[in-house]
């Protein structure tokens, strides 16, 4: 039935059960969009099945081609080190291509904006609202720079102001960015978590948003996330036909 490479979505994993539940919901959406593609899920830590275990099972079935997709928004340590290490240890019969991480993407920005409207903002609020783009954070300077650039780009779409914030490893924290936007005179302040699933760091973002007017939900199984995920798969599967605009 499945002629195309297997899509293996590799998530970080978490002790928080909401994380795995959200990952599985996203994968179900991906499967519904592309029933012609076999989609499997593996985790780096905390949850089962492990990415290594899934790769071994696929090899035992006789699968040859796999696209391994990091379920990550930035190219930080997990995408640069952890996942490549897992793939290097995979059964040698597998031909594996690692897809790019999901972000940055204008499609994800559209999802962030939709989450803000779902949380109570309206398009009429845009020019008077400051937004905190709150990410998990990273020790990788490339990842931090990407978040800052996304914030700059998003500001140009009509928001009063957009500031990046980080739940760990970098500054400013969400609560400090909220206060900065208040000081700038924004009539409203909203926090947009640039994270895929609930967990420890998203909860920290939520606590930091206590003084904001609006807190959006995580991206989760948003249709936009599924679209970007599939675009990354296609770009890895057929590099010459890499999807445009994702």
């Amino acid at each position: 039935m499945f002629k195309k490479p297997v899509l293996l979505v590799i998530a970080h994993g978490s002790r928080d059960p909401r994380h795995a539940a959200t990952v599985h919901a996203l994968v179900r959406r991906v499967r519904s969009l592309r029933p012609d593609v076999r989609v499997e899920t593996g985790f780096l830590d905390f949850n089962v099945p492990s990415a290594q275990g899934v790769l071994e099972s696929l090899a035992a079935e006789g699968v040859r081609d796999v696209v391994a997709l990091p379920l990550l928004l930035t190219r930080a340590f997990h995408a640069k080190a952890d996942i490549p290490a897992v793939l290097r240890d995979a059964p040698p019969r597998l031909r594996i291509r690692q897809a790019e991480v999901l972000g940055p993407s204008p499609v994800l920005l559209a999802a962030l904006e939709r989450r803000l409207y779902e949380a109570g903002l309206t398009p009429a609020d845009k020019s008077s609202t400051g937004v905190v783009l709150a990410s998990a954070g990273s020790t990788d300077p490339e990842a931090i720079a990407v978040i800052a650039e996304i914030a700059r780009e998003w500001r140009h779409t009509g928001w009063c102001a957009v500031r990046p914030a980080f739940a760990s490893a970098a500054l400013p924290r969400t609560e400090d960015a909220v206060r900065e936007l208040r000081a700038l005179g924004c009539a409203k302040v909203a926090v947009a978590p640039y994270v895929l699933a609930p967990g420890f760091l998203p909860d920290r973002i939520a606590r930091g948003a206590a003084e904001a007017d609006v807190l959006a939900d995580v991206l989760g199984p948003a249709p936009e996330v599924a679209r970007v995920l599939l675009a990354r798969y296609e770009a890895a599967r057929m590099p010459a036909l890499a999807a445009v605009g994702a």
Side-chain angles (χ1 to χ4, degrees):
M1 175 183 176
F2 299 106
K3 300 297 185 182
K4 299 178 177 65
V6 172
L7 168 55
L8 172 58
V9 176
I10 303 180
H12 180 270
S14 171
R15 292 186 179 89
D16 189 321
R18 296 174 298 169
H19 174 90
T22 302
V23 170
H24 291 311
L26 174 60
V27 169
R28 285 194 297 272
R29 184 181 288 275
V30 170
R31 287 182 180 132
S32 72
L33 292 173
R34 288 295 302 273
D36 59 319
V37 176
R38 178 177 174 182
V39 187
E40 300 290 343
T41 309
F43 296 90
L44 292 176
D45 206 354
F46 302 117
N47 301 108
V48 293
S50 68
Q52 183 67 38
V54 174
L55 289 167
E56 291 171 358
S57 295
L58 290 173
E61 287 180 32
V63 169
R64 294 298 305 275
D65 293 301
V66 177
V67 170
L69 190 146
L71 194 61
L72 302 167
L73 293 171
T74 58
R75 286 191 73 253
F77 183 79
H78 297 305
K80 293 177 178 179
D82 286 348
I83 291 175
V86 169
L87 301 183
R88 282 195 299 270
D89 289 339
R93 68 169 288 118
L94 293 175
R95 292 189 294 253
I96 305 174
R97 282 161 281 184
Q98 181 175 334
E100 291 295 326
V101 298
L102 300 182
S105 166
V107 180
L108 295 179
L109 273 184
L112 287 169
E113 197 150 311
R114 187 169 59 79
R115 289 291 191 230
L116 286 170
Y117 294 147
E118 289 171 349
L121 289 180
T122 69
D125 295 319
K126 196 168 184 178
S127 63
S128 60
T129 299
V131 178
V132 177
L133 179 69
S135 77
S138 173
T139 56
D140 188 312
E142 178 188 347
I144 297 302
V146 166
I147 299 300
E149 179 60 26
I150 293 170
R152 284 191 291 270
E153 290 181 7
W154 206 12
R155 163 68 182 84
H156 294 314
T157 67
W159 296 101
C160 175
V162 181
R163 293 291 185 271
F166 308 94
S168 68
L171 296 174
R173 295 287 183 257
T174 302
E175 53 268 34
D176 297 324
V178 168
R179 293 178 188 125
E180 180 186 351
L181 291 172
R182 289 275 187 226
L184 282 175
C186 297
K188 289 184 178 181
V189 176
V191 174
Y194 189 57
V195 292
L196 288 167
F200 176 75
L201 293 178
D203 284 350
R204 181 180 287 177
I205 290 171
R207 291 193 297 272
E211 296 178 18
D213 300 293
V214 171
L215 170 63
D217 199 359
V218 300
L219 289 169
E224 296 92 342
V225 177
R227 284 171 50 204
V228 173
L229 193 157
L230 285 168
R232 299 291 184 252
Y233 166 78
E234 289 296 337
R237 180 175 79 90
M238 303 177 68
L241 299 177
V244 176

PDB file of all heavy atoms in Angstrom, residues 132-160:
ATOM      1  N   VAL A 132       4.227  38.946  22.856  1.00  0.00           N
ATOM      2  CA  VAL A 132       5.433  38.252  23.311  1.00  0.00           C
ATOM      3  C   VAL A 132       5.497  36.917  22.579  1.00  0.00           C
ATOM      4  O   VAL A 132       4.591  36.089  22.718  1.00  0.00           O
ATOM      5  CB  VAL A 132       5.426  38.026  24.827  1.00  0.00           C
ATOM      6  CG1 VAL A 132       6.674  37.240  25.252  1.00  0.00           C
ATOM      7  CG2 VAL A 132       5.341  39.351  25.576  1.00  0.00           C
ATOM      8  N   LEU A 133       6.539  36.732  21.787  1.00  0.00           N
ATOM      9  CA  LEU A 133       6.778  35.457  21.114  1.00  0.00           C
ATOM     10  C   LEU A 133       7.613  34.607  22.072  1.00  0.00           C
ATOM     11  O   LEU A 133       8.829  34.776  22.178  1.00  0.00           O
ATOM     12  CB  LEU A 133       7.517  35.679  19.800  1.00  0.00           C
ATOM     13  CG  LEU A 133       7.855  34.426  18.994  1.00  0.00           C
ATOM     14  CD1 LEU A 133       6.590  33.792  18.423  1.00  0.00           C
ATOM     15  CD2 LEU A 133       8.827  34.762  17.878  1.00  0.00           C
ATOM     16  N   ALA A 134       6.945  33.723  22.785  1.00  0.00           N
ATOM     17  CA  ALA A 134       7.574  33.003  23.899  1.00  0.00           C
ATOM     18  C   ALA A 134       7.976  31.600  23.473  1.00  0.00           C
ATOM     19  O   ALA A 134       7.120  30.764  23.193  1.00  0.00           O
ATOM     20  CB  ALA A 134       6.621  32.948  25.091  1.00  0.00           C
ATOM     21  N   SER A 135       9.271  31.343  23.425  1.00  0.00           N
ATOM     22  CA  SER A 135       9.755  30.026  23.042  1.00  0.00           C
ATOM     23  C   SER A 135      10.368  29.320  24.245  1.00  0.00           C
ATOM     24  O   SER A 135      10.567  29.923  25.303  1.00  0.00           O
ATOM     25  CB  SER A 135      10.788  30.130  21.922  1.00  0.00           C
ATOM     26  OG  SER A 135      12.031  30.542  22.437  1.00  0.00           O
ATOM     27  N   ALA A 136      10.686  28.040  24.059  1.00  0.00           N
ATOM     28  CA  ALA A 136      11.247  27.262  25.161  1.00  0.00           C
ATOM     29  C   ALA A 136      12.628  27.762  25.555  1.00  0.00           C
ATOM     30  O   ALA A 136      13.000  27.727  26.725  1.00  0.00           O
ATOM     31  CB  ALA A 136      11.313  25.787  24.759  1.00  0.00           C
ATOM     32  N   GLY A 137      13.410  28.236  24.578  1.00  0.00           N
ATOM     33  CA  GLY A 137      14.762  28.694  24.863  1.00  0.00           C
ATOM     34  C   GLY A 137      15.786  27.636  24.504  1.00  0.00           C
ATOM     35  O   GLY A 137      15.474  26.449  24.372  1.00  0.00           O
ATOM     36  N   SER A 138      17.023  28.073  24.346  1.00  0.00           N
ATOM     37  CA  SER A 138      18.092  27.172  23.948  1.00  0.00           C
ATOM     38  C   SER A 138      19.433  27.795  24.282  1.00  0.00           C
ATOM     39  O   SER A 138      19.560  29.025  24.359  1.00  0.00           O
ATOM     40  CB  SER A 138      18.006  26.902  22.435  1.00  0.00           C
ATOM     41  OG  SER A 138      19.115  26.161  21.986  1.00  0.00           O
ATOM     42  N   THR A 139      20.441  26.953  24.464  1.00  0.00           N
ATOM     43  CA  THR A 139      21.805  27.440  24.619  1.00  0.00           C
ATOM     44  C   THR A 139      22.472  27.651  23.262  1.00  0.00           C
ATOM     45  O   THR A 139      23.599  28.141  23.199  1.00  0.00           O
ATOM     46  CB  THR A 139      22.651  26.446  25.439  1.00  0.00           C
ATOM     47  OG1 THR A 139      22.602  25.162  24.789  1.00  0.00           O
ATOM     48  CG2 THR A 139      22.101  26.319  26.856  1.00  0.00           C
ATOM     49  N   ASP A 140      21.794  27.276  22.194  1.00  0.00           N
ATOM     50  CA  ASP A 140      22.334  27.398  20.846  1.00  0.00           C
ATOM     51  C   ASP A 140      22.075  28.812  20.317  1.00  0.00           C
ATOM     52  O   ASP A 140      20.922  29.207  20.145  1.00  0.00           O
ATOM     53  CB  ASP A 140      21.676  26.362  19.929  1.00  0.00           C
ATOM     54  CG  ASP A 140      22.324  26.294  18.560  1.00  0.00           C
ATOM     55  OD1 ASP A 140      22.532  27.355  17.944  1.00  0.00           O
ATOM     56  OD2 ASP A 140      22.625  25.174  18.104  1.00  0.00           O
ATOM     57  N   PRO A 141      23.127  29.582  20.037  1.00  0.00           N
ATOM     58  CA  PRO A 141      22.906  30.960  19.581  1.00  0.00           C
ATOM     59  C   PRO A 141      22.153  31.048  18.261  1.00  0.00           C
ATOM     60  O   PRO A 141      21.434  32.020  18.018  1.00  0.00           O
ATOM     61  CB  PRO A 141      24.326  31.535  19.467  1.00  0.00           C
ATOM     62  CG  PRO A 141      25.241  30.359  19.432  1.00  0.00           C
ATOM     63  CD  PRO A 141      24.565  29.268  20.191  1.00  0.00           C
ATOM     64  N   GLU A 142      22.307  30.046  17.401  1.00  0.00           N
ATOM     65  CA  GLU A 142      21.565  30.049  16.136  1.00  0.00           C
ATOM     66  C   GLU A 142      20.065  29.997  16.394  1.00  0.00           C
ATOM     67  O   GLU A 142      19.283  30.728  15.774  1.00  0.00           O
ATOM     68  CB  GLU A 142      21.984  28.859  15.272  1.00  0.00           C
ATOM     69  CG  GLU A 142      21.216  28.773  13.959  1.00  0.00           C
ATOM     70  CD  GLU A 142      21.488  27.486  13.182  1.00  0.00           C
ATOM     71  OE1 GLU A 142      22.442  26.772  13.520  1.00  0.00           O
ATOM     72  OE2 GLU A 142      20.723  27.198  12.241  1.00  0.00           O
ATOM     73  N   ALA A 143      19.647  29.140  17.330  1.00  0.00           N
ATOM     74  CA  ALA A 143      18.228  29.014  17.643  1.00  0.00           C
ATOM     75  C   ALA A 143      17.680  30.307  18.238  1.00  0.00           C
ATOM     76  O   ALA A 143      16.570  30.741  17.902  1.00  0.00           O
ATOM     77  CB  ALA A 143      18.009  27.850  18.598  1.00  0.00           C
ATOM     78  N   ILE A 144      18.448  30.934  19.111  1.00  0.00           N
ATOM     79  CA  ILE A 144      18.009  32.197  19.723  1.00  0.00           C
ATOM     80  C   ILE A 144      17.880  33.282  18.662  1.00  0.00           C
ATOM     81  O   ILE A 144      16.921  34.063  18.651  1.00  0.00           O
ATOM     82  CB  ILE A 144      19.000  32.621  20.826  1.00  0.00           C
ATOM     83  CG1 ILE A 144      19.028  31.576  21.945  1.00  0.00           C
ATOM     84  CG2 ILE A 144      18.634  33.987  21.380  1.00  0.00           C
ATOM     85  CD1 ILE A 144      17.697  31.319  22.605  1.00  0.00           C
ATOM     86  N   ALA A 145      18.838  33.331  17.743  1.00  0.00           N
ATOM     87  CA  ALA A 145      18.795  34.333  16.684  1.00  0.00           C
ATOM     88  C   ALA A 145      17.588  34.140  15.777  1.00  0.00           C
ATOM     89  O   ALA A 145      16.981  35.112  15.318  1.00  0.00           O
ATOM     90  CB  ALA A 145      20.090  34.278  15.863  1.00  0.00           C
ATOM     91  N   VAL A 146      17.220  32.889  15.530  1.00  0.00           N
ATOM     92  CA  VAL A 146      16.054  32.609  14.697  1.00  0.00           C
ATOM     93  C   VAL A 146      14.774  33.137  15.354  1.00  0.00           C
ATOM     94  O   VAL A 146      13.930  33.753  14.689  1.00  0.00           O
ATOM     95  CB  VAL A 146      15.932  31.095  14.413  1.00  0.00           C
ATOM     96  CG1 VAL A 146      14.558  30.743  13.856  1.00  0.00           C
ATOM     97  CG2 VAL A 146      17.016  30.659  13.439  1.00  0.00           C
ATOM     98  N   ILE A 147      14.642  32.918  16.653  1.00  0.00           N
ATOM     99  CA  ILE A 147      13.450  33.414  17.363  1.00  0.00           C
ATOM    100  C   ILE A 147      13.390  34.937  17.291  1.00  0.00           C
ATOM    101  O   ILE A 147      12.324  35.525  17.051  1.00  0.00           O
ATOM    102  CB  ILE A 147      13.460  32.945  18.830  1.00  0.00           C
ATOM    103  CG1 ILE A 147      13.433  31.416  18.910  1.00  0.00           C
ATOM    104  CG2 ILE A 147      12.273  33.541  19.592  1.00  0.00           C
ATOM    105  CD1 ILE A 147      12.240  30.769  18.270  1.00  0.00           C
ATOM    106  N   ALA A 148      14.528  35.596  17.473  1.00  0.00           N
ATOM    107  CA  ALA A 148      14.560  37.054  17.399  1.00  0.00           C
ATOM    108  C   ALA A 148      14.180  37.545  16.009  1.00  0.00           C
ATOM    109  O   ALA A 148      13.451  38.545  15.860  1.00  0.00           O
ATOM    110  CB  ALA A 148      15.949  37.568  17.786  1.00  0.00           C
ATOM    111  N   GLU A 149      14.630  36.843  14.980  1.00  0.00           N
ATOM    112  CA  GLU A 149      14.296  37.229  13.608  1.00  0.00           C
ATOM    113  C   GLU A 149      12.815  37.016  13.317  1.00  0.00           C
ATOM    114  O   GLU A 149      12.173  37.842  12.638  1.00  0.00           O
ATOM    115  CB  GLU A 149      15.148  36.440  12.625  1.00  0.00           C
ATOM    116  CG  GLU A 149      14.862  36.743  11.159  1.00  0.00           C
ATOM    117  CD  GLU A 149      15.095  38.194  10.794  1.00  0.00           C
ATOM    118  OE1 GLU A 149      15.908  38.881  11.466  1.00  0.00           O
ATOM    119  OE2 GLU A 149      14.451  38.665   9.830  1.00  0.00           O
ATOM    120  N   ILE A 150      12.251  35.926  13.829  1.00  0.00           N
ATOM    121  CA  ILE A 150      10.804  35.696  13.657  1.00  0.00           C
ATOM    122  C   ILE A 150      10.016  36.838  14.287  1.00  0.00           C
ATOM    123  O   ILE A 150       9.037  37.342  13.710  1.00  0.00           O
ATOM    124  CB  ILE A 150      10.395  34.349  14.270  1.00  0.00           C
ATOM    125  CG1 ILE A 150      11.005  33.188  13.478  1.00  0.00           C
ATOM    126  CG2 ILE A 150       8.865  34.207  14.298  1.00  0.00           C
ATOM    127  CD1 ILE A 150      10.840  31.844  14.153  1.00  0.00           C
ATOM    128  N   ALA A 151      10.436  37.264  15.477  1.00  0.00           N
ATOM    129  CA  ALA A 151       9.750  38.373  16.153  1.00  0.00           C
ATOM    130  C   ALA A 151       9.818  39.641  15.309  1.00  0.00           C
ATOM    131  O   ALA A 151       8.822  40.371  15.177  1.00  0.00           O
ATOM    132  CB  ALA A 151      10.366  38.605  17.535  1.00  0.00           C
ATOM    133  N   ARG A 152      10.990  39.915  14.724  1.00  0.00           N
ATOM    134  CA  ARG A 152      11.122  41.116  13.881  1.00  0.00           C
ATOM    135  C   ARG A 152      10.204  41.024  12.665  1.00  0.00           C
ATOM    136  O   ARG A 152       9.537  41.996  12.293  1.00  0.00           O
ATOM    137  CB  ARG A 152      12.578  41.292  13.444  1.00  0.00           C
ATOM    138  CG  ARG A 152      13.493  41.835  14.532  1.00  0.00           C
ATOM    139  CD  ARG A 152      14.848  42.242  13.970  1.00  0.00           C
ATOM    140  NE  ARG A 152      15.620  41.087  13.538  1.00  0.00           N
ATOM    141  CZ  ARG A 152      16.455  40.413  14.307  1.00  0.00           C
ATOM    142  NH1 ARG A 152      16.605  40.767  15.588  1.00  0.00           N
ATOM    143  NH2 ARG A 152      17.131  39.379  13.847  1.00  0.00           N
ATOM    144  N   GLU A 153      10.162  39.862  12.045  1.00  0.00           N
ATOM    145  CA  GLU A 153       9.313  39.693  10.861  1.00  0.00           C
ATOM    146  C   GLU A 153       7.838  39.844  11.219  1.00  0.00           C
ATOM    147  O   GLU A 153       7.062  40.455  10.473  1.00  0.00           O
ATOM    148  CB  GLU A 153       9.566  38.322  10.231  1.00  0.00           C
ATOM    149  CG  GLU A 153      10.921  38.184   9.569  1.00  0.00           C
ATOM    150  CD  GLU A 153      11.102  36.818   8.934  1.00  0.00           C
ATOM    151  OE1 GLU A 153      10.127  36.038   8.907  1.00  0.00           O
ATOM    152  OE2 GLU A 153      12.212  36.532   8.468  1.00  0.00           O
ATOM    153  N   TRP A 154       7.449  39.277  12.349  1.00  0.00           N
ATOM    154  CA  TRP A 154       6.044  39.322  12.744  1.00  0.00           C
ATOM    155  C   TRP A 154       5.602  40.743  13.051  1.00  0.00           C
ATOM    156  O   TRP A 154       4.472  41.123  12.785  1.00  0.00           O
ATOM    157  CB  TRP A 154       5.841  38.408  13.958  1.00  0.00           C
ATOM    158  CG  TRP A 154       4.449  37.879  14.089  1.00  0.00           C
ATOM    159  CD1 TRP A 154       3.450  37.934  13.177  1.00  0.00           C
ATOM    160  CD2 TRP A 154       3.906  37.206  15.221  1.00  0.00           C
ATOM    161  NE1 TRP A 154       2.315  37.333  13.662  1.00  0.00           N
ATOM    162  CE2 TRP A 154       2.569  36.877  14.915  1.00  0.00           C
ATOM    163  CE3 TRP A 154       4.424  36.833  16.466  1.00  0.00           C
ATOM    164  CZ2 TRP A 154       1.745  36.202  15.817  1.00  0.00           C
ATOM    165  CZ3 TRP A 154       3.604  36.166  17.349  1.00  0.00           C
ATOM    166  CH2 TRP A 154       2.278  35.859  17.031  1.00  0.00           C
ATOM    167  N   ARG A 155       6.507  41.531  13.593  1.00  0.00           N
ATOM    168  CA  ARG A 155       6.194  42.929  13.902  1.00  0.00           C
ATOM    169  C   ARG A 155       5.774  43.675  12.633  1.00  0.00           C
ATOM    170  O   ARG A 155       4.882  44.540  12.673  1.00  0.00           O
ATOM    171  CB  ARG A 155       7.423  43.590  14.537  1.00  0.00           C
ATOM    172  CG  ARG A 155       7.436  45.111  14.551  1.00  0.00           C
ATOM    173  CD  ARG A 155       6.367  45.683  15.479  1.00  0.00           C
ATOM    174  NE  ARG A 155       6.358  47.126  15.460  1.00  0.00           N
ATOM    175  CZ  ARG A 155       5.719  47.872  14.548  1.00  0.00           C
ATOM    176  NH1 ARG A 155       5.019  47.299  13.584  1.00  0.00           N
ATOM    177  NH2 ARG A 155       5.757  49.185  14.604  1.00  0.00           N
ATOM    178  N   HIS A 156       6.359  43.322  11.509  1.00  0.00           N
ATOM    179  CA  HIS A 156       6.075  44.030  10.260  1.00  0.00           C
ATOM    180  C   HIS A 156       4.712  43.681   9.677  1.00  0.00           C
ATOM    181  O   HIS A 156       4.314  44.259   8.661  1.00  0.00           O
ATOM    182  CB  HIS A 156       7.165  43.732   9.227  1.00  0.00           C
ATOM    183  CG  HIS A 156       8.511  44.266   9.612  1.00  0.00           C
ATOM    184  ND1 HIS A 156       8.707  45.542  10.087  1.00  0.00           N
ATOM    185  CD2 HIS A 156       9.742  43.690   9.591  1.00  0.00           C
ATOM    186  CE1 HIS A 156       9.981  45.743  10.340  1.00  0.00           C
ATOM    187  NE2 HIS A 156      10.637  44.625  10.064  1.00  0.00           N
ATOM    188  N   THR A 157       3.989  42.763  10.284  1.00  0.00           N
ATOM    189  CA  THR A 157       2.656  42.406   9.780  1.00  0.00           C
ATOM    190  C   THR A 157       1.551  43.234  10.417  1.00  0.00           C
ATOM    191  O   THR A 157       0.376  43.002  10.133  1.00  0.00           O
ATOM    192  CB  THR A 157       2.363  40.915   9.998  1.00  0.00           C
ATOM    193  OG1 THR A 157       2.261  40.635  11.402  1.00  0.00           O
ATOM    194  CG2 THR A 157       3.455  40.048   9.382  1.00  0.00           C
ATOM    195  N   GLY A 158       1.935  44.193  11.282  1.00  0.00           N
ATOM    196  CA  GLY A 158       0.918  45.109  11.793  1.00  0.00           C
ATOM    197  C   GLY A 158       0.719  45.157  13.285  1.00  0.00           C
ATOM    198  O   GLY A 158      -0.089  45.957  13.777  1.00  0.00           O
ATOM    199  N   TRP A 159       1.417  44.332  14.049  1.00  0.00           N
ATOM    200  CA  TRP A 159       1.294  44.402  15.502  1.00  0.00           C
ATOM    201  C   TRP A 159       1.948  45.673  16.038  1.00  0.00           C
ATOM    202  O   TRP A 159       2.862  46.219  15.416  1.00  0.00           O
ATOM    203  CB  TRP A 159       1.955  43.182  16.153  1.00  0.00           C
ATOM    204  CG  TRP A 159       1.288  41.890  15.809  1.00  0.00           C
ATOM    205  CD1 TRP A 159       1.704  40.973  14.885  1.00  0.00           C
ATOM    206  CD2 TRP A 159       0.069  41.370  16.348  1.00  0.00           C
ATOM    207  NE1 TRP A 159       0.833  39.915  14.814  1.00  0.00           N
ATOM    208  CE2 TRP A 159      -0.194  40.139  15.707  1.00  0.00           C
ATOM    209  CE3 TRP A 159      -0.836  41.837  17.306  1.00  0.00           C
ATOM    210  CZ2 TRP A 159      -1.315  39.367  15.998  1.00  0.00           C
ATOM    211  CZ3 TRP A 159      -1.953  41.062  17.603  1.00  0.00           C
ATOM    212  CH2 TRP A 159      -2.185  39.845  16.951  1.00  0.00           C
ATOM    213  N   CYS A 160       1.478  46.126  17.191  1.00  0.00           N
ATOM    214  CA  CYS A 160       2.064  47.302  17.837  1.00  0.00           C
ATOM    215  C   CYS A 160       3.555  47.075  18.087  1.00  0.00           C
ATOM    216  O   CYS A 160       4.390  47.948  17.822  1.00  0.00           O
ATOM    217  CB  CYS A 160       1.332  47.582  19.151  1.00  0.00           C
ATOM    218  SG  CYS A 160       2.037  48.922  20.131  1.00  0.00           S
TER     219      CYS A 160
END
